[in-house]
Amino acid sequence: MSEIAEKFGIKQALKDLDLTEENNGTSTGKDFFSSGDVIESYSPVDGALIGKVKATSRDDYEKVITTAEVGFKEWRTWPAPQRGEVVRQFNDELRRLKEPLGKLVSYEMGKSYQEGLGEVQEMIDICDFAVGLSRQLHGLTMHSERPGHRMYEQYHPLGVVGIISAFNFPVAVWSWNTALAWVCGDACIWKGSEKTPLTSVACQNIAARVFAENDVPAGISSLITGDYNVGEMMTHDKRVPLISATGSIRMGKIVAQAVAARLGKSLLELGGNNAIIVTPDADIKNTVIGAVFGAVGTCGQRCTSTRRLIIHESIYDKVKDAIVKAYKQLRIGNPLDENNHVGPLIDKDAVKNYENALDKVVKEGGNILVEGGVLEGEGYQSSCYVKPAIAEAENHFEIVQHETFAPVLYIMKYSGDVSNAIELQNGVVQGLSSAIMTNNLREAERFLSVEGSDCGIANVNIGTSGAEIGGAFGGEKETGGGRESGSDAWKIYMRRQTNTINYTTELPLAQGIKFDL
């Protein structure tokens, strides 16, 4: 255990979460273990080995899917409020273990401790939402055109739901899916990121304990671990009717094609290239706060991170100077130390992508306003700490058109009407999150209108980063079109059925068709 881990209580957190030096990477709620290769989890905070997890083999996967299928057949018969009660108890455990789980998220992923706690709070919030939802899985009743008939819609559990999550939100995204899917009556198989395997095992430990106490059938919460090969076991499996995948656009296209080839359903949450429009009527102070947190929070590794700042030419220099000044105040270092604003990138591959992006923007004609670079020396032993950078750029630059999962912010001018800024904002293939900073009602409404932002999320006077549980989360275009979390996102985890009941002694046909025997 490293000095930092000892100082900030990671050893105790691992103990609280029932994690050992050798951890199980495959679990269905029964005590069988993975037989695959060993995955070592190193912290980007200090480069230290946290623990080891065994990957899921093909034989392991078959045990998981078979157990999940059997468990689902019983679980779907439980009344939804009863399933909600199990989720409520799971939520109680999350509240009890919020601090150790938040610390592990911070230490294994590299986000700040406050963001780690915030991620666990998202888990708590979605469980609260799901418990209420368990009494509201309603359909519609419709009037039939035939006398003596009643029509209605109802929703049934879908089956086994496969969840593929990314390293940047190693626990929250899983809970967005499972909390809803569980109350809907589904079984869930989760492939967490191989970059953050211990947080996945920790969550499965919590769920397995609660489920065992309630005699929930084995397999309703299952975990598989490994690289993309393990994920492919699910994406090609006809026994998994829905795949919910969070990750890059490249990964999403592969998943979508594999699932579509077997006529399954996919829920995709992919890349973002999110912009904030800053109009002449913007509150500059709030703009700076929203833009800086959006760009550097989680070291720029959020799908909702702010990548582009589109500023009206009349206030361009004023906003630019304010943003540059704010960057000089950023403290980069150990994310468990709450005095720091920015932690490390996830690994050295992410560092290379960051460096390549800065090289490319210069080659394309951009101007570096805040220098980037890799930090070295005491406190930066993992070689994953980088300086958040700002570059003046044009929207059409190839590097600007792509999502760089790192703290690189591109700023650019627009002139004339706000419609010109909206055109720039929409001028990328991604469509996740967007924002406008303005106190002009007409500009705000234009931004939210059918001619405005083409993103799944559109905010006024707040940044692009972060979302509340109550609203559906997701984006359009190459972001994938999926919706998770609040609103009516629960419907993706169920199959819809239209029912017609004839309570007469006659059999009239629809559309007035006559068929006499």
Side-chain angles (χ1 to χ4, degrees):
M1 189 65 63
S2 71
E3 182 179 339
I4 286 178
E6 289 281 2
K7 179 179 178 181
F8 289 93
I10 300 301
K11 185 175 183 179
Q12 183 60 48
L14 295 175
K15 182 179 179 181
D16 292 341
L17 297 166
D18 297 328
L19 294 171
T20 60
E21 187 175 341
E22 297 289 339
N23 294 277
N24 181 16
T26 300
S27 177
T28 67
K30 289 184 175 180
D31 294 326
F32 72 85
F33 293 84
S34 301
S35 57
D37 296 334
V38 172
I39 298 173
E40 296 181 327
S41 178
Y42 290 90
S43 171
V45 175
D46 55 9
L49 177 66
I50 313 172
K52 301 176 182 179
V53 175
K54 280 196 172 183
T56 302
S57 69
R58 169 60 70 176
D59 288 343
D60 297 331
Y61 174 77
E62 284 301 318
K63 292 178 183 177
V64 168
I65 186 66
T66 300
T67 306
E69 282 191 302
V70 172
F72 164 68
K73 290 179 181 178
E74 178 185 340
W75 181 240
R76 66 184 178 181
T77 67
W78 287 36
Q82 190 176 347
R83 298 192 295 254
E85 168 59 19
V86 176
V87 173
R88 186 196 65 77
Q89 293 178 36
F90 174 69
N91 195 10
D92 286 345
E93 281 296 282
L94 290 177
R95 293 176 190 275
R96 185 177 69 85
L97 295 169
K98 179 178 178 179
E99 182 177 322
L101 185 54
K103 279 187 178 179
L104 179 59
V105 168
S106 177
Y107 189 59
E108 189 174 35
M109 185 270 149
K111 63 176 58 176
S112 74
Y113 178 45
Q114 285 300 316
E115 288 182 89
L117 292 175
E119 185 168 348
V120 180
Q121 185 61 49
E122 285 193 32
M123 301 176 75
I124 293 168
D125 292 343
I126 192 63
C127 286
D128 283 342
F129 183 91
V131 172
L133 182 66
S134 68
R135 295 180 182 272
Q136 301 181 70
L137 300 174
H138 49 74
L140 297 172
T141 298
M142 295 150 285
H143 290 282
S144 172
E145 67 182 52
R146 290 168 284 187
H149 285 59
R150 181 167 69 88
M151 292 179 63
Y152 69 95
E153 290 181 340
Q154 63 178 334
Y155 289 83
H156 292 302
L158 188 62
V160 178
V161 173
I163 302 163
I164 301 172
S165 64
F167 73 86
N168 59 327
F169 279 85
V171 296
V173 172
W174 167 71
S175 69
W176 291 358
N177 286 272
T178 51
L180 300 189
W182 286 337
V183 299
C184 288
D186 299 320
C188 295
I189 300 177
W190 177 26
K191 195 206 90 65
S193 172
E194 66 272 25
K195 297 182 180 182
T196 53
L198 294 176
T199 53
S200 300
V201 176
C203 291
Q204 178 63 14
N205 286 347
I206 298 169
R209 185 168 60 250
V210 173
F211 283 21
E213 291 171 354
N214 287 272
D215 294 323
V216 173
I220 301 308
S221 179
S222 302
L223 175 67
I224 58 176
T225 302
D227 61 14
Y228 70 93
N229 291 295
V230 176
E232 285 182 348
M233 296 179 194
M234 286 200 302
T235 58
H236 290 88
D237 194 338
K238 291 183 178 180
R239 295 169 291 182
V240 185
L242 170 65
I243 296 290
S244 174
T246 302
S248 68
I249 291 173
R250 182 192 64 81
M251 179 275 283
K253 288 181 177 179
I254 294 171
V255 169
Q257 291 176 46
V259 176
R262 58 179 177 84
L263 296 181
K265 297 202 297 184
S266 57
L267 192 170
L268 302 176
E269 298 287 1
L270 310 177
N273 196 346
N274 316 296
I276 298 177
I277 296 171
V278 188
T279 80
D281 289 315
D283 182 314
I284 303 301
K285 179 182 176 181
N286 286 343
T287 296
V288 171
I289 294 171
V292 173
F293 176 74
V296 309
T298 322
C299 202
Q301 297 171 113
R302 292 181 174 220
C303 51
T304 56
S305 290
T306 304
R307 309 291 178 199
R308 298 172 295 144
L309 205 57
I310 303 169
I311 309 166
H312 192 270
E313 60 182 0
S314 65
I315 57 168
Y316 180 80
D317 289 334
K318 183 178 181 180
V319 175
K320 177 183 72 173
D321 292 345
I323 295 286
V324 169
K325 182 179 178 181
Y327 266 54
K328 293 178 180 177
Q329 301 174 47
L330 293 175
R331 294 185 295 273
I332 308 165
N334 173 14
L336 292 164
D337 183 345
E338 296 183 56
N339 292 313
N340 293 322
H341 298 109
V342 184
L345 288 170
I346 186 65
D347 55 25
K348 293 178 182 178
D349 287 339
V351 173
K352 289 179 183 177
N353 289 335
Y354 158 86
E355 292 179 309
N356 289 339
L358 291 176
D359 289 341
K360 286 180 180 178
V361 73
V362 172
K363 288 178 182 178
E364 290 192 67
N367 174 43
I368 301 296
L369 292 175
V370 175
E371 293 286 344
V374 182
L375 295 169
E376 299 177 348
E378 186 176 355
Y380 306 121
Q381 292 92 333
S382 68
S383 300
C384 292
Y385 290 88
V386 301
K387 300 175 184 177
I390 301 176
E392 290 181 300
E394 297 294 334
N395 205 55
H396 61 81
F397 286 1
E398 182 182 2
I399 188 59
V400 176
Q401 289 286 309
H402 288 83
E403 178 188 41
T404 300
F405 228 52
V408 179
L409 176 65
Y410 304 112
I411 68 172
M412 59 198 72
K413 296 178 183 178
Y414 80 94
S415 58
D417 187 74
V418 72
S419 59
N420 295 327
I422 293 172
E423 184 177 356
L424 287 172
Q425 184 226 271
N426 293 347
V428 293
V429 297
Q430 307 87 351
L432 179 53
S433 187
S434 59
I436 188 171
M437 294 292 186
T438 182
N439 288 322
N440 184 311
L441 179 62
R442 288 178 175 150
E443 288 179 333
E445 290 294 339
R446 181 73 177 275
F447 178 74
L448 300 174
S449 75
V450 68
E451 300 174 304
S453 170
D454 64 3
C455 296
I457 299 170
N459 299 327
V460 176
N461 291 330
I462 60 172
T464 62
S465 187
E468 293 185 32
I469 289 301
F473 179 90
E476 300 301 322
K477 301 190 292 188
E478 292 194 7
T479 298
R483 291 298 186 275
E484 294 173 321
S485 188
S487 186
D488 64 349
W490 61 272
K491 292 180 179 179
I492 190 69
Y493 306 101
M494 306 195 85
R495 58 182 178 88
R496 177 163 29 189
Q497 186 179 80
T498 301
N499 308 113
T500 305
I501 299 170
N502 176 7
Y503 55 89
T504 74
T505 59
E506 304 296 327
L507 186 60
L509 301 178
Q511 290 85 47
I513 294 174
K514 300 294 183 182
F515 186 76
D516 296 324
L517 291 177

